[in-house]
Amino acid sequence: GKHIDLDQLMQFIVESWKEEAGRAEERLRALFVASDMDGDGNLDFTEFTQMVHHVNSNKGHRELLRMYAEMTLNKTVECNTFVRVCRKFRFFTFEVGPLVKRQDPQT
């Protein structure tokens, strides 16, 4: 029969998870930049609510208010704070992409 090297399998799973976590953070950062309409590096409440309306959020009104309240503990909502609070509240759940790396047809 075939045998699976569990150490190699676990290493592959952990590396795949780290890659996906990095992509999720990149998406959150891109969402912040796209939502910061005036480009001042701060997500005000109007920008936050507009962003929530444009994405499919499974969070209720109260939880969204709690999120924004936590984001504003430092007075301004800058990108790192936005990413940290979104991850803490699991604001976005990202599907794991294909495990096989796509080949660039140019190479």
Side-chain angles (χ1 to χ4, degrees):
K2 294 183 179 182
H3 297 285
I4 296 175
D5 183 332
L6 291 180
D7 288 335
Q8 284 183 339
L9 176 62
M10 289 302 296
Q11 183 175 357
F12 172 77
I13 291 170
V14 168
E15 287 172 4
S16 297
W17 180 85
K18 284 181 180 178
E19 288 176 14
E20 186 59 27
R23 285 191 293 272
E25 183 165 325
E26 288 172 20
R27 287 187 208 117
L28 287 171
R29 290 185 179 283
L31 179 62
F32 177 89
V33 170
S35 301
D36 181 17
M37 299 306 287
D38 58 9
D40 66 352
N42 174 53
L43 206 63
D44 63 34
F45 189 69
T46 301
E47 292 167 332
F48 178 77
T49 55
Q50 288 175 348
M51 178 268 304
V52 168
H53 288 299
H54 283 86
V55 297
N56 291 328
S57 170
N58 59 351
K59 302 296 181 193
H61 185 72
R62 283 186 170 186
E63 189 165 13
L64 291 169
L65 288 175
R66 280 196 298 272
M67 273 182 63
Y68 194 75
E70 182 162 335
M71 287 180 192
T72 57
L73 290 175
N74 294 328
K75 304 266 192 245
T76 61
V77 181
E78 51 84 37
C79 192
N80 289 334
T81 301
F82 175 78
V83 170
R84 179 182 55 76
V85 174
C86 283
R87 294 182 101 178
K88 176 182 175 182
F89 280 79
R90 299 181 185 271
F91 183 57
F92 297 105
T93 54
F94 296 106
E95 294 178 11
V96 175
L99 295 178
V100 177
K101 300 231 189 270
R102 292 185 184 142
Q103 294 293 324
D104 184 1
Q106 306 296 330
T107 57

